[in-house]
Amino acid sequence: MIQHGPTVDANLAKEHGLASDEYKTLCDGLGRAPSYTELGVVSVMWSEHCSYKSSRVHLKTLPSDGPQVIEGPGENAGVVDIGDGQAVVFKMESHNHPSFLEPYQGAATGVGGICRDVFTMGARPIALADCLRFGNTGHERTSYLLHGVVAGVGDYGNCFGVPNVTGDVVFDDSYNGNILVNAFCLGLAKSDRIFRGYASGVGNPILYVGAKTGRDGIHGATMASAEFAEGSEEKRPAVQVGDPFMEKLLLEACLELMESDALVGIQDMGAAGLTSCSVEMAARAGSGVELHLESVPMREEGMTPYELMLSESQERMLMVVTKGKEQEALDTFSKWDLDAAVVGHVTDSGKVIVKMHGEVYADLPASLLAEGLKYDRPQERPSYLDEVISLDLDTIAEPDDIGETLLDMLAAPNLCDKSWVFQQYDHMVRHGTVVRPGQASSGVVRVVEPESGRKKGVAIAAGCNARHVYLDPYEGSRLAVASAYADLVAVGAKPLATTDCLNFGNPEKPGTMWQFAESVRGLGDACRLLNTPIVSGNVSLYNETDGVAIKPTPMIGMVGLIDDIDEVVTASFKEEGHHIAVLGALGGTLSGSEFLKHCHGQERGVPIPFEMERHSKVFAAMLEMTKARVLASAEDISDGGLLCCIAECCLGAQNLGAQLSLPAVEGRLDELCFGEGPARFVVSYSKENAAAVARAAAGCGASLLEVGVVGGRELRLNIGGELSMKLPLAAMAGAFGGAFEAFS
C-alpha cells in the first residue's frame, strides 16, 4: 500500500478530528495503522456530520413507517405515496457552518445539495423551502450574513429553476455566532420508479458524472462537526462553490438515464464527496467497490488520492450501471455536455479499495466505515430550566394601549413582513405554484396529472419555534410538529409525513445531549399521534461558538396532500361583511410568547402543551371546513397571538379592515390579545356559509366563537362592549411593512 503524505499516528488522527480512543478503534479494526488516504477517508466517515455517532441511538426511536411510506430514513430522501402512481420525495438538510463562514456559497450549495438528494431518487424537484436563523438584528454581522444567505438561496434556486414557496426567517441572540440555514426540497416521481443508492451486481461499472473535481470543500464534513472558535473564518476553503447551471444539466441527464434500464444505483456526492457515496453504496448493497482515481475528471493538476476522495466539489454524482450499458450512459451525459467517466467497478470483497495508476492507496472494510461509531452520551437536565420555567405575571405590566402594543408587535423582527426575503426568490418558475410565500403559512404546488385529470396539490410547512424548545425540549418539539400540522390543515391539506433538521449545540455536553434526547422523544410522540411518520432528515450538532450554543432548534418540514387545489384556502380576508371566528381556544398563554420576549425582554414560563384528544378535534374541523369549501380564509394563530394573526389577515391582498367584538376578559387583556397556544385558527366565511361552518365545528367537537365581521379601513376591537382599540390599516401596514428594511 502506498503511504503518501505524513506518517499517520494518534496526533495526526487528532488533527483529523479523531479522538485517541477512536483512532485505537480504527487501528484495531484494521489490524494495522491506516495509510494517510485511509485516515482521511475514515475521519470524514466517522465525523458527526456523516456518521451521526451521537444521535443514532435516539433517532432509531422515531416513527418512520406507515401505509403511505415508500422509503424511509437511510436513503438520500424520503418517499411518500400520493396515489395515481405518483410519489413525493422530500428532505430537509442543514448548511449552517459553511453559511456562517461564506454566506453566499454556503447557502447556495445547501440548496444545490438538497436538490440532488431529491432527484437522485428519480424525482423532479418542484418546490423549495428555506428556514433561516440569524443573530440579533443589531449584531455587527447579521446584516452581512442575511444578505449573503438570501442571495445564495435565491440565485441558486432561481438559476436551477425550482420555485421557493415557503419558509421563515427568525432573529435571536443565540444565533449571533452560529446561524442556521436549513433547506427543504420536494420532488415528484413515479411511485414504481424510485432509485436508491446501491452498488449492486459484481462487475458492474461505476460511473462518475458532473462537474470536474477540485480542491474545494476538502474536510467540509469535519469542519461541520466541530464548534466555532477564534480563527474559524480561516476554514473558508472548506466551503464549496456551486454552479446551478451545471446542476440543471445534471438533473436532466440523470432523469433521462432513469427512463432506461441501464441504471442500477445512484448517489449524490455530498458531504465527504466520493468517499461517502462509494462507502454508503457498497454498505447498503453488502458489496464492495474498487475505484481507479486516475479516471476521475479533475480541474486541478497534481491532485492526490487523499484530495480526490475528500473533495466536496459540487454537482457530482456516482452511479452503478449494468455491465454493457456504460456506453449508453456515457452517451447520455455527453449529450448534456457533462463530464463522465468509468472510475471503477462493483466487487464482492465487502471493501472500498482505492487505486491510482495501479497503486493501492486505501483498502478498507465498507461496513467498518458505514457503521462507524455510536455513542450513548451522558445526559443531564440543564440547570437554566429551574430558573426559566417560572413566570410571575404579577411582575409583568399590562399594556396601557393595546393599539400601540399591536403596532410595536407588528414591527418586531420576528413578526414583521419578510417579503423582501421571498421577493429575491422565483416562486412562480415552472408555473406550478398555487399558494405563494406570504399568502398562507404553507406553500402549495400543483401536481400535474394529465391522465387522471385530478387537480391534486401538495402543501409544505416548514419551521420551528426554538423558544418553546428552549423552555421545554419535549413539549416544545411536540408543539413544533403540531404547528406544522396546523399550517397544513389551514390551507386544506391532509398531512402525510415529516422530515426534520435537528440543530443543536455540542453533544459532548450533557445538558445539550439531554435537550436533544428530549426533543427527539417529543418529535416521535407527536408524529406517532398525528400519523405523520418521519421519513428523512438531518442532524446538525456543534452549533456553538466559544462555548455558547444556539437555542435547540429541531426544524420541521411537513408535507400534506390536497385532493383538489380549488379547495385551497389562504389567509387574507376576502370580502366585506364576511364573518370572522376563532376555531379552537380564544386565549393563549404569555409563557414563551413573542410578546413576552419582544415587549418585556423575557423568555420564561411553560408553553401550553399539545393535547391530542382536544387539539385533534380542531384540526379535524379545519379539514372538514376546507373540504366543504365553506371558508373564505383561514390562518393558524401562532407567534404574536390573536391580534397579530387578525392584523395579518387584514393586510392581505384585499387590504380589508375588521370590526371585532370579544367577550369581557376575566384574566389579562394581553393574554387574550397576544397569548399563544396550539390548534387555534382565525377563519372567515360568508353569511350563507355560517351555519355550515358551525355544524362542521360542532360535528368534530371543536370550539367555534364568532368574533366580528370583515370591513372598513381600520381594525376596531370592542371588549365587553367597550372600545379597546381602533387602528387605521395604513398605520398597521406601515409598522408591518416598514420594519424589516430598517434593520436589514
Side-chain angles (χ1 to χ4, degrees), residues 572-579 632 654 656-657 684-686 709-711:
S572 62
F573 294 143
K574 302 300 188 299
E575 289 187 22
E576 299 220 8
H578 278 183
H579 294 210
Q654 283 70 33
L656 293 169
S684 71
Y685 43 88
S686 66
V709 294
V710 176

Side-chain angles (χ1 to χ4, degrees), residues 21 34 102 116 136 149 245 270 317 321 334 348 394 439 491 525 557 564 582 607 619 633 687 711 714:
D21 59 331
E102 174 42 63
R116 289 195 302 277
N136 187 291
V149 165
F245 301 105
M317 293 282 188
V321 299
S334 177
D348 59 1
D394 291 337
Q439 292 186 316
V491 297
D525 284 355
D564 187 338
V582 173
F619 294 150
S633 73
K687 178 180 179 180
E714 61 187 11

Side-chain angles (χ1 to χ4, degrees), residues 399 401-407 409-410 415 573 582 586 637-651 658 660-662 669-676 680 682 707 715-719 724-727 732:
D401 187 323
I402 287 293
E404 287 300 316
T405 302
L406 176 58
L407 291 177
M409 289 286 286
L410 290 174
L415 298 179
F573 294 143
V582 173
L586 181 62
I637 304 171
S638 56
D639 299 349
L642 175 63
L643 281 193
C644 289
C645 179
I646 290 177
E648 290 188 40
C649 294
C650 289
L651 296 174
L660 305 177
S661 181
L662 300 180
L669 181 59
D670 50 6
E671 207 159 34
L672 172 67
C673 295
F674 305 111
E676 298 174 8
R680 304 162 65 216
V682 170
V707 296
L715 177 58
R716 293 174 61 96
L717 172 63
N718 287 283
I719 298 181
S724 298
M725 183 188 77
K726 182 173 69 171
L727 280 179
M732 294 196 302

Side-chain angles (χ1 to χ4, degrees), residues 97 310 383 460 564 601 727:
H97 286 61
L310 270 61
S383 59
I460 302 161
D564 187 338
L727 280 179

